[in-house]
Every structure is written in C-alpha cells, then in structure tokens.
Amino acid sequence: NIGIRDYQTSHRTIQLPGLVNIAAFVPGLVSRDSDDLQRVTKASIAAGFSMIRVMPVGKDGSISDVKSLKVAQQNGKRGTYCDFNLSITATSDNAHQISHAAGEVGSLFIPFNHLSDNISKVAAVEAHFDAWPTHKPIITDAKTTDLASVLLLASLHNRRVHVTGVTSKDDLKLIALGKEKGLKVTCDVNIYSLYLSQEDYAGCQFLPTAEDQAALWEHLETIDVFSIGSLPYQLAHFLNQSADVTVGVADALPLLLTSVAEGKLTVDDVKARLHDNPKEIFELHDQVGTSLEVEIDRPCILGAAGSWSPFSGKVLKAAVQRVTFQEQVACLDGSILSLPPRGNDMSTHGALPPMAAISSPAT
Amino acid sequence: NIGIRDYQTSHRTIQLPGLVNIAAFVPGLVSRDSDDLQRVTKASIAAGFSMIRVMPVGKDGSISDVKSLKVAQQNGKRGTYCDFNLSITATSDNAHQISHAAGEVGSLFIPFNHLSDNISKVAAVEAHFDAWPTHKPIITDAKTTDLASVLLLASLHNRRVHVTGVTSKDDLKLIALGKEKGLKVTCDVNIYSLYLSQEDYAGCQFLPTAEDQAALWEHLETIDVFSIGSLPYQLAHFLNQSADVTVGVADALPLLLTSVAEGKLTVDDVKARLHDNPKEIFELHDQVGTSLEVEIDRPCILGAAGSWSPFSGKVLKAAVQRVTFQEQVACLDGSILSLPPRGNDMSTHGALPPMAAISSPAT
Ligand SMILES: [Zn+2]
Ligand SMILES: [Zn+2]
Ligand SMILES: [Zn+2]
Ligand SMILES: [Zn+2]
Ligand SMILES: [Zn+2]
Ligand SMILES: [Zn+2]
Ligand SMILES: [Zn+2]
Ligand SMILES: [Zn+2]
C-alpha cells in the first residue's frame, strides 16, 4: 500500500522567505462591503503567501476607474492578513481616466481573455501604452495573435510587459523568442496549468492541452513566475462546484513541493518563481521578519478544510508547517493563530518614478 | 451634356518614367504552358507598367518550391512584353526548401489571406524570418492581429517588411505607428481599394468599408506604393464575371490620374508610388530608355477593349498616350505596336548581397 509506505519515509524541513502570489483572484473585489479580500488574504498567509498582487478583475466588475478603485480600497480597510497591492484594468476607452489612478495602484492589467471588459483593438491598447507611466508594470493575459500585438507595442515603445497565465506552447515560444531578441518580457504560468489539463477536464478551454502542458514543463527556464490566478475559480465554475472564494490557494505550494519531492523541480526553482522573480519584476517591498517552514516528503491529504478543490483527498508529499509574518507566528500546521489582521495595502509602494521622488514634486 | 463639355476642355501632357506594378497577379503562373504571364506583361506595357513584380500565388497553385518556380520561369521564356521578377511563397513547412530558391527570386511572400497555403502559426513565420537572406525583401498580406505578429517578428529580427494590399484604417494606423517608432515597414494599397468599397459591392470582404476607404485617402502619407494586386481578379470572381486575366491593369493609371485631374492627388503623389518608392523598396533595376506620356483632363471612356471591368463605360479624365520601352515606342494610344516581346526576367537582379558581390564569392 503506497499510502503506508509514504508515511514511513523521512522528510526534510526547508525554510523559505514569504511567498508572493502575483495573480490573486478576489471575486467580490469591487462589490461594496465584500469580505472576499479579507478571506483571500487569510487563506494566503496560511498557505505561505505573505504578499499578493490582486488581479483588478473580479466576478462582477473590475477596477477600471477611480470609483471602483475606491470600493476595493475600502474593502481592503476591513483588515487583511497579508500584504497586498491593487492594479487597474485597461478597457477600450479608459486610457485617460486611469492615468488619474496610476499613482494609487501597482500596475496596469490589459485583459483579452477575461469574463468582461476585454480589449480588442490594437489602437486602444496603444493608447494605454502611451498614457501609462513608463516606470510602472504592464500585465496582460493576451494569447496567440493578441499576444503578438501586445509584444509588438512593447517592442515599439521599448517597454516592459508581463504576460500572465500562459497556457500554450506557442505563446511560450513567442515569449522565449522575445527574450532571446532582447524584448523586456516576463511571464507566469498558473500553478493549476502545470497539474491539470484538458485531458482531465474535456472542453475546459482555459486549461492547457496535455501537449501544451508538457511543453510548459519542458520550458520551465522561460517561465519567470508561478501564480495562482483565476483558473481555480474558473474551473470550479466550469464544473458547477460551489467553491470557496479562496479555491486554489491552499493547493499551490503543496503541489509544487510535491514535484520537488518527485525530482521534477528544485526548491530553488520554486523559490525563484514565488519570491525572487516576483519581487524583482514588480519591484515589491521587502517583508521583514516574514518566512515559512515547509516539510517535503511528508505525506499530506489535501482538502481537510472541507472546501472543494480538484485535488481534495489526494495525497501530496509536502505541507506548510509554519508561517511567520512580521516577526510573529501567524500560522502553524495550516491553522491561523488568532491574531489581528496586520496586512498592509502596498499599492503605492514604488508608485513614484525614482527620479521624481528625489527631485521636485510633479506639477 | 457633361460628355460634350468634357471633350472641349484643354488637357495637359505629362512625361512619366516607366511604372512599376509591385503586385501583379498572374492566374496561370504555375500552370504548365500558360500564356497568362505573357498576356499580363502585354497589358502592363500598354498601361504604362514597364516592370512588374509577379505575386507568387496564382489561381491554381503558388511558387513555393524549386519545381513550381521552374514552371513559372519556363512560362516567362515564352516571351514577355515588360520586365518582371518572380517571388516565392512561404508555407507552414517550406522554410528550408525555399532557402534553396532564394537566389533565383526577388522576394519572399508570406500569405495570410490568400486562397490557399496560408500560414497561421507564428512559429512557422519565425522559421522563415530565420531562413530567408537578410538582404532580400519580405512581403506579407497579413491583416489585424496577424499583421501585428509579422511586425513583431520584423521588429525582433530588425528586418524590413512590406505589407501589401492594406484595406483598413486600423492596419494603416499600426503601420504608421511602426514607422513612427523606427520599424522598417512599408506598405501598398491596391488601386481598386481607393475607388471601390463594400458600399458599392455589399458583402465583398476584400474591399475596404466606405469608412476604411476614407481613412486610406486621409492617410496617403503612410501609403508608400499603389499596386494592382489580385483584387480586380477576386472582384470579378465574386461578381461571377468571366474577366480577362489582365483585369484591372488598364484601369489603374487612368483612375489615379483622374484623381489628379480632380485635385485629389498630385502627379508627384502618383510618380512616387508607382516608380520612385517601388524602385527604392525593392531595389529594382534602372530601365534605360523607358518612359511614358499621359494626358490629363482628356476624357476617355474605359473598357473599349471589350473585356469586363467595374469601370467599363465610365468616363475618366486621363489616358496613356505613348509608352517607350528600351528606346522604342511600344504603345500608342493604348494599342501595342507589333514588336517582338523584349521583356526580361529580372528576378536575380540584386540577388546577391552588395558586399558579397564586391568581395569574394559565397562559399
Ligand atoms: Zn523576501
Ligand atoms: Zn483628466
Ligand atoms: Zn505610442
Ligand atoms: Zn522600495
Ligand atoms: Zn526609373
Ligand atoms: Zn536543403
Ligand atoms: Zn528568429
Ligand atoms: Zn542593381
């Protein structure tokens, strides 16, 4: 019996810095008085993520102007359990408006494949490249020829761009080509895309095909970051599962560390893609006194908390043992200690261009 | 009666150098023993075009390997009435093969919107950018996001690319942006696209909309070249007209010069786009002793030759009066003088990179 043998193997304990989820999906982000952000940050800190970059697209709307940003900021003031920052969504006609909010958010997200508010015209995307401050990151979920359009604009404007949620071999190839040719492009893959494919869930277009998934694993060197993204939530919806708003958060690290246990990834592969690279790409703040302890090769059954996950009941080979946040133990063996929420809205960190901050104030 | 008044106006005679049609469509190009190339060159010289760049896509196949190139070359040996050069078509898997034919053709054509053999994958196009000699032109008919893909590859590889048959405002905008940002991109518009729109022929997708057509006229400064293209042939097919293989050739210059008569274009606008720019972009040879005489403001009824054209019977305000080719009058008032065909296959002109031609032979 495999389970018993697993329980008998010895395990190793590893220290990691506080991790970053660069694409946290918060369904009720712009819904008045929603506690989704609070709940997602709580699940995040328990899972080892001490910083989340919140995707500016929720279930019922997106952060696309000053008004919707205010709602999200207000929800952030209910108290959060890890640090977070907010971004803003580009639409076909809000290039001017969002320049007013640029100082209060971490980045601009240009959606092509989201539930609503997608951009279709190159001219609209171009307007955003012109209006958005040059020192602030631009993120997109563009695929195939849309991806080529965005990379072209990045190339012509000599700007950095980050591609989130890559699922296909061809897109990864195009990104690799861009990197090879000196384009400032980085990318992330949703962790679920590494472990689930259309072979597991036929017709689930937002998952990679089995062939594409194999290509993601083959070309890990092109993938800068692993993220959670909205994929777990979309999958639950696709399967008509009434999932928790935090679906996918608890699975993330155990899945990756199980691959470490199986020799498919190294601890450094994971650390680079959940801490070092996210911090560098998005110029995130240092989180003093924040770290975690994980155990690898220790069998652990997922989903004890009772909420749905495609991995519920599966035996994984790793677990988060302890999370320390701001010098205090926040989490032990997956249970949050009852501490007050001490996360901060870090959206304005790095909001000013380095030169302007030193010299005179903007006019 | 307008006709009579027109006949009484005075007209002016203008000298032009031999013109270039950079996108000549030859239906039977790769059909064994076809005289289509001969017929197209004959109609071309009569219409003032002393040099044509033949599109490598015919009605029943394309020049896509050494074998099909041989058939087209053989058809060229039947005798042609103006100079011409041949190109080769990129397909999804012929990047290696065509590198063997590169020395014998004028350029590489990457089709996205042709009847057959279109390329869909960025990776396939990328293979062509890598395989094709850097000093030789690349031409594409890509539109919208496909156009963005090609421009991205051109940008990343620091290569020139020419976009043929532009029909939309958005594509022209993207090209203008590329030019503004230093991308080496040029483009042409089919002459029929300047005079016919989907308002004239509902459902005819390959014509511009009326709005797009207005944008073409508004942004003439972005249009480097006017061409004939396969549009006249496609239109005839769409309308179930049994058109001659030379359809569109005789109309081209009278249409443009009528716009000169009406003050919408200058003679220099036309000369730049049918001679100067084509020669520069495609590094074409000088045609010594070749010129034409046109009359502007002289009313002329199109289609006297009897073959179908959408402009048959229309009174235009210009006509080609005399064409001199290689120091001999070849054409007078639209009638070809009975001279032997003296056109040359110029495909290998400029086939060697300038440096290699001067220094040591290639290894
Ligand atoms: Zn750190
Ligand atoms: Zn304003
Ligand atoms: Zn711009
Ligand atoms: Zn800082
Ligand atoms: Zn000349
Ligand atoms: Zn070979
Ligand atoms: Zn390449
Ligand atoms: Zn020469």
Side-chain angles (χ1 to χ4, degrees):
Chain A
N1 182 296
I2 289 170
I4 288 170
R5 200 185 58 215
D6 277 347
Y7 274 88
Q8 292 169 339
T9 56
S10 65
H11 54 265
R12 51 185 169 137
T13 301
I14 307 246
Q15 295 280 137
L16 288 172
L19 304 179
V20 182
N21 174 18
I22 68 149
F25 181 64
V26 176
L29 180 64
V30 294
S31 307
R32 235 168 256 286
D33 302 320
S34 162
D35 61 359
D36 286 1
L37 182 58
Q38 188 169 48
R39 292 167 67 195
V40 169
T41 55
K42 198 168 192 175
S44 294
I45 196 71
F49 294 94
S50 51
M51 169 70 194
I52 62 173
R53 305 194 77 246
V54 179
M55 297 172 73
V57 284
K59 187 171 68 76
D60 301 310
S62 56
I63 300 180
S64 60
D65 54 18
V66 172
K67 196 176 146 216
S68 45
L69 175 61
K70 287 259 173 298
V71 176
Q73 287 169 332
Q74 209 54 47
N75 287 333
K77 286 180 184 143
R78 299 170 77 91
T80 56
Y81 291 87
C82 69
D83 293 342
F84 67 98
N85 70 18
L86 300 173
S87 294
I88 196 160
T89 307
T91 69
S92 295
D93 53 14
N94 73 345
H96 175 75
Q97 285 125 275
I98 65 175
S99 66
H100 290 287
E104 297 186 51
V105 294
S107 62
L108 175 68
F109 179 55
I110 306 182
F112 285 83
N113 294 290
H114 229 270
L115 310 165
S116 61
D117 292 328
N118 290 314
I119 263 185
S120 60
K121 295 275 185 185
V122 175
V125 179
E126 151 74 0
H128 283 287
F129 269 82
D130 287 341
W132 191 246
T134 50
H135 64 287
K136 298 207 116 185
I138 292 179
I139 299 164
T140 186
D141 64 355
K143 295 179 184 301
T144 65
T145 50
D146 290 327
L147 176 58
S149 301
V150 174
L151 295 185
L152 172 65
L153 291 175
S155 176
L156 296 180
H157 292 78
N158 193 28
R159 286 195 71 147
R160 286 185 298 141
V161 68
H162 178 85
V163 185
T164 190
V166 175
T167 52
S168 83
K169 185 180 176 171
D170 287 342
D171 289 353
L172 201 63
K173 252 192 197 167
L174 190 60
I175 291 163
L177 173 71
K179 289 182 173 201
E180 182 200 314
K181 299 289 184 186
L183 196 66
K184 297 176 226 159
V185 57
T186 51
C187 73
D188 71 76
V189 165
N190 290 167
I191 295 162
Y192 269 30
S193 290
L194 295 171
Y195 297 99
L196 299 172
S197 76
Q198 293 183 29
E199 209 157 85
D200 302 305
Y201 299 106
C204 191
Q205 300 286 328
F206 41 85
L207 284 175
T209 64
E211 190 199 333
D212 281 331
Q213 187 183 70
L216 298 179
W217 279 99
E218 243 171 73
H219 299 281
L220 280 177
E221 76 283 357
T222 303
I223 304 170
D224 302 282
V225 174
F226 296 142
S227 67
I228 298 176
S230 58
L231 182 49
Y233 192 87
Q234 283 182 277
L235 180 63
H237 184 84
F238 177 81
L239 298 172
N240 281 314
Q241 295 284 351
S242 64
D244 195 82
V245 297
T246 66
V247 59
V249 174
D251 310 346
L253 196 55
L255 283 168
L256 292 171
L257 295 178
T258 297
S259 292
V260 171
E262 291 169 349
K264 290 183 193 161
L265 288 173
T266 66
V267 170
D268 274 350
D269 284 338
V270 175
K271 181 173 166 286
R273 289 169 182 78
L274 290 180
H275 175 270
D276 305 352
N277 296 344
K279 278 201 62 172
E280 194 185 321
I281 294 167
F282 298 105
E283 298 173 13
L284 302 176
H285 64 296
D286 277 325
Q287 294 190 289
V288 179
T290 299
S291 64
L292 51 148
E293 213 177 278
V294 296
E295 290 186 322
I296 299 181
D297 284 319
R298 177 180 129 181
C300 173
I301 293 170
L302 263 186
S307 63
W308 180 85
S309 146
F311 301 100
S312 290
K314 212 183 153 184
V315 178
L316 295 185
K317 298 177 187 165
V320 177
Q321 186 67 5
R322 176 202 302 263
V323 180
T324 306
F325 183 56
Q326 296 175 5
E327 316 286 5
Q328 288 199 285
V329 176
C331 227
L332 217 47
D333 262 327
S335 319
I336 302 245
L337 305 186
S338 66
L339 291 169
R342 286 177 298 125
N344 290 305
D345 182 346
M346 300 300 298
S347 302
T348 58
H349 176 85
L352 286 177
M355 294 311 288
I358 294 165
S359 62
S360 59
T363 53
Chain B
N1 179 296
I2 288 170
I4 287 169
R5 198 186 61 215
D6 276 347
Y7 275 88
Q8 291 168 339
T9 57
S10 66
H11 55 265
R12 51 184 170 138
T13 300
I14 307 248
Q15 296 282 134
L16 288 172
L19 304 179
V20 182
N21 174 16
I22 67 149
F25 181 64
V26 176
L29 180 65
V30 294
S31 307
R32 236 168 254 286
D33 302 320
S34 161
D35 61 358
D36 285 2
L37 181 57
Q38 190 171 47
R39 292 168 67 196
V40 170
T41 55
K42 199 169 191 173
S44 295
I45 196 72
F49 294 94
S50 51
M51 170 70 194
I52 63 173
R53 304 194 78 247
V54 180
M55 297 171 75
V57 283
K59 186 171 69 75
D60 301 311
S62 57
I63 300 181
S64 59
D65 54 19
V66 172
K67 197 175 147 217
S68 46
L69 176 60
K70 288 256 173 301
V71 176
Q73 287 170 332
Q74 208 55 44
N75 287 333
K77 286 182 183 141
R78 299 169 77 91
T80 57
Y81 291 86
C82 70
D83 293 341
F84 67 97
N85 70 17
L86 299 173
S87 293
I88 197 159
T89 307
T91 68
S92 294
D93 53 15
N94 73 345
H96 175 76
Q97 284 125 276
I98 65 174
S99 66
H100 291 287
E104 298 185 51
V105 294
S107 62
L108 174 68
F109 179 55
I110 307 182
F112 285 83
N113 293 290
H114 230 270
L115 311 166
S116 59
D117 292 329
N118 290 316
I119 266 185
S120 59
K121 295 275 184 185
V122 175
V125 179
E126 150 74 0
H128 283 287
F129 269 82
D130 288 340
W132 190 247
T134 49
H135 65 287
K136 298 207 115 186
I138 292 179
I139 298 163
T140 187
D141 64 355
K143 294 180 186 303
T144 64
T145 50
D146 290 327
L147 176 58
S149 301
V150 174
L151 295 185
L152 172 64
L153 292 175
S155 176
L156 296 180
H157 291 80
N158 193 26
R159 287 195 70 148
R160 285 185 300 143
V161 67
H162 178 85
V163 185
T164 190
V166 174
T167 51
S168 83
K169 185 182 175 171
D170 287 342
D171 289 353
L172 202 63
K173 252 193 197 164
L174 190 59
I175 290 163
L177 173 71
K179 288 182 173 199
E180 182 199 316
K181 298 290 183 185
L183 197 65
K184 296 176 226 159
V185 57
T186 52
C187 73
D188 70 76
V189 165
N190 291 166
I191 294 162
Y192 269 30
S193 290
L194 295 172
Y195 298 98
L196 299 172
S197 76
Q198 293 182 30
E199 208 156 87
D200 304 303
Y201 299 106
C204 192
Q205 299 287 329
F206 41 85
L207 285 175
T209 63
E211 190 200 333
D212 281 331
Q213 188 183 70
L216 297 179
W217 279 99
E218 243 171 74
H219 299 282
L220 280 176
E221 76 284 358
T222 303
I223 303 170
D224 302 281
V225 174
F226 295 143
S227 67
I228 297 176
S230 58
L231 182 49
Y233 192 87
Q234 282 181 278
L235 179 63
H237 183 84
F238 177 82
L239 298 172
N240 280 315
Q241 294 285 351
S242 63
D244 195 83
V245 297
T246 66
V247 59
V249 174
D251 311 346
L253 197 53
L255 284 168
L256 292 172
L257 294 178
T258 298
S259 292
V260 172
E262 291 168 349
K264 290 184 196 161
L265 288 173
T266 67
V267 171
D268 275 350
D269 283 338
V270 175
K271 181 174 166 287
R273 288 169 182 78
L274 289 180
H275 176 269
D276 306 352
N277 296 344
K279 279 200 62 174
E280 194 185 322
I281 294 167
F282 298 105
E283 297 173 11
L284 302 176
H285 64 295
D286 276 325
Q287 294 190 290
V288 179
T290 299
S291 64
L292 52 148
E293 213 177 278
V294 295
E295 290 186 323
I296 299 182
D297 284 318
R298 179 180 128 178
C300 173
I301 293 170
L302 262 186
S307 62
W308 179 85
S309 146
F311 301 99
S312 291
K314 210 184 156 184
V315 178
L316 295 187
K317 297 176 186 167
V320 177
Q321 185 68 6
R322 175 204 300 264
V323 180
T324 306
F325 183 57
Q326 295 175 5
E327 318 284 6
Q328 289 199 287
V329 176
C331 227
L332 218 45
D333 262 327
S335 319
I336 303 248
L337 305 186
S338 64
L339 291 169
R342 285 176 300 122
N344 289 306
D345 182 346
M346 300 301 296
S347 302
T348 59
H349 175 83
L352 286 178
M355 294 310 289
I358 294 166
S359 62
S360 59
T363 52

